[in-house]
Amino acid sequence: MKLPSSYSDLVADLRALGLLKSCQHLLGWDEQTYMPPQGAELRADQLALLAGLAHQKATHPRIGELLAQLADAAPLGGPESTPAALVRETQREYDRATKLPQLLVEELSRTATLSQQAWIAARKAKSFPQFLPWLEKIIHLKQQEADAVGYTEHRYDALVDEYEPGSTTAQLTATLTPLRKELVPLVAAIAESRVKPDGSILTRRYPIDSQREFGRRAAQAIGFSFESGRLDEAAHPFCQGLGPGDCRLTTRYDEQHFPGAFFGTLHEAGHGMYEQGLPAEHFGTPLGATISLGIHESQSRMWENLVGRSRSFWQHFYPAAQQSFPEALGGVSLDEFYKAVNEVRPSWIRVEADEVTYNLHILLRFEMEQGLIAGDIKPADVPGAWNEKFQSYFGMTPPNDALGCIQDIHWSAGLVGYFATYTLGNMYGAQFFAQARKDLGDLDAMFAKGEFAPLLDWLRKNIHSRGQHLQASKLVETITGQPLSHKPLMTHLKNKFGAIYGV
């Protein structure tokens, strides 16, 4: 079928915009990895300039004119066609972008760049007051963004929609509440169990060079291509896809804590494999972009936990781990190690939390963000509000700000409205994984033999290659035949940790 020339023109404009955004992403990656500290001011100006140029291009009247010409889906093959999906998602992004003043976009970019550098220093100093002026600026700017975009019920809705299109605060609350109700008694039952894994195994000495090499081997084994990607260090682990053939991962190392870097690497590799699986021919368009951050997190959390913390994964990798860390693991059995990496214990740091308590960290942040954007919590009151909620959820109070309210980079980067997608990712991931088991057979037998390609190929076919052809809610129903539910995740958690802890 011959498509209208206006469709080709739209695709060309979107690809040019994609190139410009990839330059932004590259500078952002460099800021977190190799940029000298004194380069922050210049980098802020560079990124603000690029943000402004990208905004101009994304909101140019020509885009609106082309979209208007393509409003009738019939010449595109019907409303369910791939070209119609490109037009639909471009229209959604255009509608949002045209509501945002360019000056606000540039100021958000500039402030976030400087704020992230301030966050790194404040976290190192364990000092929230050092970060407070920047948090105040960020929250004020995000409130302005929400007001510009508009919302029906909650101001926070306008920010959530950027990361999980179509979602609202009320919908997320309705989705997360049943999960919380089942998590709390499971956490309590595990706490009362007589089984106590020896978590100290993981805090022995693990030389960083060995961690670096072992993590890279594991990421490559599960399917991350280092021919089109790399792994570096940063204050907070992240993945940045720059476009076809170039995906950057980061992690952070602690010689006395094995899980942080290793599972962080698997997590970011999961993100990276999604980026590497996007259709290169559609770069810059919605058909070559990830669906939502909830779906993105489903990939990272799946490889980190459902695969990486499984017994079958370690049946394959544990002999290599013992060779890499003979002093720490030489006398440790596979069973002891497996239980250690799956120990359930309340922890200060979200990215180091176990599978069971992790979602409580997310619920805390979800509530905090709503309060900040609504104005019910003032930035200056964040430490007190955080500690009170943390005590309520975990029964302990953070001893300092670095282990408490300034542990995450997200607020400093302006990523407000993001956190709920982590728990959505856990839920999507568990539902997808359960379906993959039905479709592929005995995944554990495959993992035990070091065979990870069947799962990755399944993800490529069902998720990565689709781009944004389907929105998240439609995707999960298409793949699994069911709407998103907390039940597959709770079934996984109860089965796995019930066996470990005898509950």
Side-chain angles (χ1 to χ4, degrees), residues 364 367-368 377 384-394:
L364 181 153
E367 293 174 2
M368 289 287 295
I377 299 174
W386 179 286
N387 291 350
E388 182 178 340
K389 287 181 178 293
F390 205 92
Q391 178 66 39
S392 173
Y393 274 111
F394 296 98

Side-chain angles (χ1 to χ4, degrees), residues 29 171 199 262 280 346 426 456 479:
W29 169 84
Q171 289 172 343
F262 183 77
N426 286 333
L456 180 57
I479 294 174

Side-chain angles (χ1 to χ4, degrees), residues 30 32 38 68 122 142 148 151 168 179 182 197 221 232 286 323 325 502:
D30 177 74
Q32 297 297 320
Q38 292 301 313
K142 297 305 286 188
Y151 52 91
T168 66
L179 178 64
E182 291 197 42
D232 295 275
Q323 290 179 353
F325 311 104

Side-chain angles (χ1 to χ4, degrees), residues 54-89:
H55 186 69
Q56 288 177 17
K57 199 164 191 64
T59 59
H60 196 283
R62 171 183 162 85
I63 299 288
E65 292 165 3
L66 291 172
L67 288 169
Q69 294 172 30
L70 295 166
D72 181 5
L76 302 176
E80 302 302 317
S81 69
T82 296
L86 182 147
V87 172
R88 178 196 72 219
E89 292 303 307

Side-chain angles (χ1 to χ4, degrees), residues 363-373 377 381-383 385-386 389 405 411:
L363 290 166
L364 181 153
R365 288 155 175 78
F366 179 56
E367 293 174 2
M368 289 287 295
E369 286 192 341
Q370 291 178 61
L372 283 165
I373 295 302
I377 299 174
D381 298 330
V382 161
W386 179 286
K389 287 181 178 293
C405 61
W411 292 344

